Amino acid sequence: MTADDGVITKLVEHFSLHDRDCQKHQDEIFTKMRTESPVAHSVEHGGFYAVSRYRDVYEAAHKPELFSSFPVTIPPFGNPTPMIPIESDPPMHRKYRTLVGARFSPKSVEALEPHMREMVRTIIDGLVGKKDADLAKEVAIPLPLRGILELYLGVPEKDWEKLKDEFLYMLQPDPESTDEENLERSMAAGLNCTMYFAEMLDHLRTNGYGDDLISHLDQAELDGERLADDEIYGFCLVLVPAGFDTTASVLSRLLLMFAEKPEVRDRLERIVDDPEKLDLAVEELIRFMPPQPGVARNVTEACEFAGQRLDEGDRLLLLWPSANRDPEEFPDPDELVFDRQPNRHLGFGSGIHRCLGSHLARLELKTLLKEFLHRVPRYRVAPGKEAVWHTGNTWGVKTVPVVFDEWPEP
């Protein structure tokens, strides 16, 4: 459903990642921004500028000296400590990122493939024979959640659900609440998560370290000194939400798309067993439905950017999905072209803060597709029900209620 130009103009002026109408009309809003006001001012959340064209988003992402990454959301999370490394600037950013980079390298992630395949098969085993299911709650969220909490942080299974809920309070603010109410809720959730990791860190120090990232960080040195506890908590506060909610947002939208546009599933089934074609398709899916709708940058000194005068302290919102639909960069940007080449998408961000977990996200997406498309029958949205989307710092689907066609014989 399209809206008239006056409505879209109003939504541009009041643009917010928390607003349901902005999410609903995102394509029209982004088109209007790119063509008429590529650095568009929004009065929401105290005022900020939304950057929408590919070339401008790319340039801003590559100027950390001019556009600081702290805080990285609009409005801010209210997290008790900066999230590391995503909210750190040079020169500390590179030092922090180096501490964990090897764990997320292509080679390290490739070694996780057998574990990831087992996780996916276990999840699908739990669906087999069911007449209906919620594919967000039973597939899209559990897979990346287990991936980051089990494979990287060593969090016991009994605590997965608790941590997931706390982080979602931070990531998915209530669009009907005020900024102040959401900030209070987010700060409380952030404090609860910090306290959890403080207890976990104390346990590791008392009972011995493991092979998890928290153990690694507590033994690591930066410029000859061990990390402060707050620095370790800062890593945890970004690794968990960045490790599951971003990928879950892509998976939930894709699984909903299979119900609403079965021809997309048909096209993927034809190429899923061809590694090279599948790699290209995954990149196109990330372009088409990027994990995050945007990240914030903060102006460090007065300047002119993309024709807009900016003052120190002004805030920018870099709109990845708008950049990824810019026709000046992508031919037929609103079409899923699974063999698109070149595909210089910004779905994983760009610059020094490009997604640390991009290789893990690719592995999760590819592994799920290879198992899911072979084992799970066609399905449709359950009659009388509808998918429920969420807004916030990721845009995804909270519930994907479906009914299956008949399952194949085992």
Side-chain angles (χ1 to χ4, degrees):
M1 179 183 296
T2 59
D4 65 46
D5 190 64
V7 171
I8 299 303
T9 297
K10 192 76 170 177
L11 289 174
V12 169
E13 295 170 354
H14 291 266
F15 185 78
S16 168
L17 297 183
H18 299 182
D19 187 275
R20 291 193 178 101
D21 286 333
C22 289
Q23 183 187 57
K24 180 180 179 182
H25 298 290
Q26 60 182 286
D27 292 341
E28 297 155 274
I29 291 170
F30 294 157
T31 297
K32 190 173 187 66
M33 284 181 175
R34 288 193 304 267
T35 56
E36 298 181 16
S37 52
V39 183
H41 187 262
S42 170
V43 300
E44 296 300 315
H45 312 304
F48 64 93
Y49 292 93
V51 184
S52 54
R53 293 186 305 201
Y54 181 97
R55 64 177 180 270
D56 299 330
V57 171
Y58 182 90
E59 182 181 354
H62 286 256
K63 289 188 171 181
E65 72 285 351
L66 189 58
F67 304 125
S68 170
S69 65
F70 181 73
V72 77
T73 60
I74 296 177
F77 276 136
N79 39 298
T81 59
M83 295 185 293
I84 297 173
I86 197 172
E87 289 188 321
S88 57
D89 294 319
M92 289 305 300
H93 169 268
R94 182 170 186 174
K95 295 178 180 181
Y96 282 136
R97 188 162 171 130
T98 299
L99 290 178
V100 295
R103 297 288 186 111
F104 293 92
S105 69
K107 183 177 180 180
S108 294
V109 170
E110 183 181 2
L112 297 176
E113 195 274 338
H115 303 282
M116 193 65 62
R117 187 170 62 250
E118 180 273 328
M119 287 182 183
V120 170
R121 287 176 175 173
T122 298
I123 287 171
I124 294 177
D125 286 346
L127 294 177
V128 172
K130 285 188 173 183
K131 294 181 179 179
D132 54 59
D134 182 337
L135 294 183
K137 295 180 178 179
E138 297 181 54
V139 180
I141 293 173
L143 176 60
L145 182 70
R146 182 178 172 186
I148 194 65
L149 293 183
E150 178 181 339
L151 297 182
Y152 281 89
L153 296 180
V155 173
E157 183 175 357
K158 65 181 179 62
D159 296 332
W160 294 353
E161 195 72 15
K162 175 175 66 176
L163 277 179
K164 179 203 75 175
D165 291 342
E166 294 289 0
F167 275 103
L168 289 183
Y169 287 142
M170 295 175 62
L171 294 160
Q172 298 176 13
D174 182 356
E176 304 302 325
S177 298
T178 66
D179 282 356
E180 291 74 17
E181 290 168 337
N182 280 323
L183 179 61
E184 183 178 349
R185 180 186 183 208
S186 177
M187 288 178 67
L191 181 59
N192 289 339
C193 292
T194 300
M195 291 172 61
Y196 177 86
F197 288 116
E199 292 176 5
M200 188 173 178
L201 187 58
D202 183 64
H203 177 82
L204 290 168
R205 288 168 174 168
T206 302
N207 296 281
Y209 295 116
D211 190 39
D212 56 277
L213 259 179
I214 299 177
S215 294
H216 167 72
L217 288 169
D218 198 39
Q219 299 172 85
E221 290 190 355
L222 198 62
D223 295 334
E225 295 186 5
R226 303 288 275 269
L227 295 178
D229 288 359
D230 279 350
E231 291 175 301
I232 296 174
Y233 306 150
F235 272 105
C236 295
L237 285 175
V238 74
L239 287 171
V240 178
F244 94 88
D245 191 49
T246 50
T247 306
S249 76
V250 177
L251 295 177
S252 63
R253 284 179 284 169
L254 179 60
L255 295 176
L256 177 60
M257 184 182 286
F258 286 167
E260 297 179 335
K261 298 180 179 180
E263 68 275 10
V264 172
R265 174 170 178 163
D266 292 341
R267 292 169 58 198
L268 283 169
E269 284 183 345
R270 290 194 288 270
I271 63 174
V272 72
D273 294 321
D274 185 317
E276 291 185 4
K277 290 181 178 179
L278 182 60
D279 284 346
L280 291 175
V282 165
E283 295 307 310
E284 177 67 349
L285 288 169
I286 296 297
R287 180 197 71 85
F288 196 78
M289 49 180 76
Q292 280 187 299
V295 296
R297 294 291 183 263
N298 303 275
V299 181
T300 60
E301 61 182 72
C303 64
E304 184 172 302
F305 178 74
Q308 175 65 50
R309 184 66 186 174
L310 300 173
D311 294 323
E312 181 181 352
D314 283 344
R315 298 177 298 166
L316 303 181
L317 185 67
L318 310 187
L319 295 171
W320 308 126
S322 177
N324 282 348
R325 298 293 185 95
D326 189 338
E328 292 189 12
E329 175 66 24
F330 302 98
D332 301 316
D334 297 324
E335 300 296 324
L336 265 172
V337 182
F338 285 139
D339 58 354
R340 186 183 294 276
Q341 292 188 81
N343 192 350
R344 294 181 288 266
H345 68 78
L346 304 182
F348 289 124
S350 192
I352 65 170
H353 289 288
R354 190 179 184 280
C355 178
L356 181 67
S358 60
H359 301 298
L360 178 62
R362 289 184 177 102
L363 176 64
E364 289 169 336
L365 188 50
K366 286 191 287 188
T367 306
L368 180 68
L369 285 172
K370 285 189 281 190
E371 295 290 333
F372 191 93
L373 293 178
H374 283 300
R375 295 185 59 193
V376 179
R378 296 290 195 280
Y379 54 84
R380 61 192 183 280
V381 175
K385 297 183 179 181
E386 60 182 24
V388 178
W389 288 71
H390 68 78
T391 59
N393 298 293
T394 58
W395 281 356
V397 195
K398 290 197 292 187
T399 61
V400 182
V402 303
V403 291
F404 297 104
D405 292 350
E406 190 169 337
W407 286 82
E409 292 293 328

